Structures are given as structure tokens and as C-alpha cells.
Amino acid sequence: MRNPFLAGAAVVMTVAALAACGSSADGNGPEAAGAQRPAASGPAVPGPSATTPTTPATPAEPTAPATEEPAVSGPSAPPATAEGPKTPSDEITPATGTFTKKQKEYLEDRVPKGMDPAAVLQTGQETCDKLRYLVKADRDTAVGAIATQEIPDAPAAVAGLCPLHQDLVDEAAYAYADGTHTGKTVRPGVYRSASPTTNCSWQIEGAGGKELASGTSDTGKSRKITIPKSARTFTSTGCYAWLAEGAKG
């Protein structure tokens, strides 16, 4: 499910990136509640101008594309798992200047044949920029964005380009995104919902499909639940992501 807060954040990052290009290359019941999340819409972002286009002599400042919903997860370059041959590491060179050691390590086995490595690098840097913005606005949303893969390929970008955000990746590894989780993916512990919608619901089942706990929330506020050791299936809808309380729940 597309997270509205993250969508707003993505627009801000898109505008910032375009502007930069102009100048340089416990409980299981409804009684457990957490803190109120910030407004899902995020900060106001100017839309595209509706006035008559300016003349070439006085070019207008770049603005965000006019779309109903900004693209959040669509990177400008394929992720590392993209099919097809990759450019050998010794052939990865920028059109101008040089890559740093860490940049080269990030790009290794990530640049499809025939693609400008700078474009792949830019995608990773944009991922780091999104995380930097989100963690300042609401840390739980930043972790949730990694857990739900709304910010794709975040672990690789963090490891190679912005290791200061490794704690977000580590926490996301123990989180639950919306969906059904079974077997070994069900880990006991206390969890809180991150940026839930007003149609958040969850269900915990044990052996034989026996319901152990369930609940709903229409407040949009964070809730807490406890997943017991006897749980075999955990299903979440409209809650975006559940983050573990403590290092590993």
C-alpha cells in the first residue's frame, strides 16, 4: 500500500534534486496506543506553474511534474537485481571526473551494459536523500519505508553510500510490512504500527488456524500488539508496517 507520508516526502526530494541539477552535477486490544504521527501530507510542495510559459531569455525555475500521485518507488535506474549483463567493474567510469572508492564498490555488478554509471549512482544517492529527509520528519516512517520496500534497494544504497543510516536498515529487518506472514517469518514480541491508515486491521493465528488475537483501528494513530510464541500466522492490512519494540521485538 502506498504510504501517503512517504509520497509527500518523495515530492520534496524530487524538487530538491531538480533544483540542485541547475547548479551542479503491549497488548492485543485496542487499548494500547502510541504517539500521533505527523500529518501524512508532509510539507507543502509547490506544484507546476499554470501560467503562460516564460520565454527562453528568462527560463523558469524547475518544478515537479504535474501528476496526481508522485512516483515513490520508481528509480531512474534498474536495481541490482535487474536482469541482463552488467558492465565489468574495470569499465565503470564516469563521463567526467572520477568515482570515489565507495562509489565504485556500490556500482560493482549494478550497472547494466550500455547504461551511464552516473545514472545508477544518482539513484542510490536519491535513496539516501529520501532516508535523510524521512528520518528527520518521522523515524518510524523511514524504517517502514525500508521494510515495505517503498524505497527500493535501500539496504544496498545505505551500505555503499550512506552508512550512517544502517540502524534504519537493521531495524527494518525485524519489521512486518502489510500482508500475511507465516512460519519462521513470525517472530514473537511487542510491535507498534508505523504510519497506519484509518483502516488498519490485524489478526494473529496459532496452530490449526485458531485465532489468538485480532483488532482494528480507525484513528490513524500508532497501536501496539503482542505476537506470542504460539503464533503461526500474522496478517496485517492497512497498517503499513509494524516495528519491533526493542532491538528484535
Side-chain angles (χ1 to χ4, degrees):
M1 177 175 293
R2 179 61 55 86
N3 179 27
F5 179 86
L6 181 59
V11 175
V12 173
M13 293 313 308
T14 302
V15 173
L18 287 172
C21 291
S23 59
S24 65
D26 178 62
N28 292 320
E31 70 276 3
Q36 173 73 48
R37 293 284 169 265
S41 59
V45 180
S49 172
T51 59
T52 303
T54 56
T55 62
T58 56
E61 184 176 334
T63 58
T67 56
E68 289 187 9
E69 183 177 348
V72 173
S73 59
S76 56
T81 55
E83 297 295 334
K86 303 294 190 299
T87 302
S89 57
D90 57 351
E91 296 180 14
I92 298 177
T93 56
T96 59
T98 59
F99 289 132
T100 65
K101 181 180 179 180
K102 279 195 170 293
Q103 289 173 337
K104 288 181 179 179
E105 291 174 350
Y106 172 74
L107 291 171
E108 187 172 355
D109 294 326
R110 302 180 65 82
V111 183
K113 277 281 190 179
M115 174 169 281
D116 182 359
V120 179
L121 179 62
Q122 181 180 354
T123 296
Q125 291 173 331
E126 287 173 353
T127 293
C128 290
D129 289 341
K130 291 174 184 177
L131 290 175
R132 181 165 54 250
Y133 171 80
L134 285 176
V135 76
K136 288 181 179 179
D138 182 64
R139 190 180 186 282
D140 280 1
T141 299
V143 176
I146 298 174
T148 61
Q149 298 185 20
E150 243 188 301
I151 295 184
D153 215 26
V158 168
L161 302 175
C162 47
L164 73 163
H165 294 317
Q166 187 61 46
D167 60 325
L168 303 179
V169 174
D170 293 343
E171 186 173 343
Y174 293 96
Y176 291 103
D178 271 342
T180 298
H181 307 269
T182 61
K184 294 182 179 180
T185 63
V186 179
R187 299 174 298 275
V190 178
Y191 294 82
R192 66 185 184 278
S193 54
S195 299
T197 71
T198 54
N199 293 303
C200 174
S201 64
W202 61 91
Q203 183 176 41
I204 303 172
E205 297 178 344
K210 179 182 178 180
E211 183 177 301
L212 303 179
S214 64
T216 62
S217 176
D218 60 1
T219 65
K221 296 181 179 180
S222 179
R223 306 301 299 269
K224 285 186 181 182
I225 62 171
T226 296
I227 298 179
K229 292 182 178 179
S230 57
R232 296 293 179 270
T233 302
F234 172 55
T235 301
S236 171
T237 303
C239 305
Y240 189 50
W242 296 87
L243 311 186
E245 290 281 286
K248 301 179 181 179

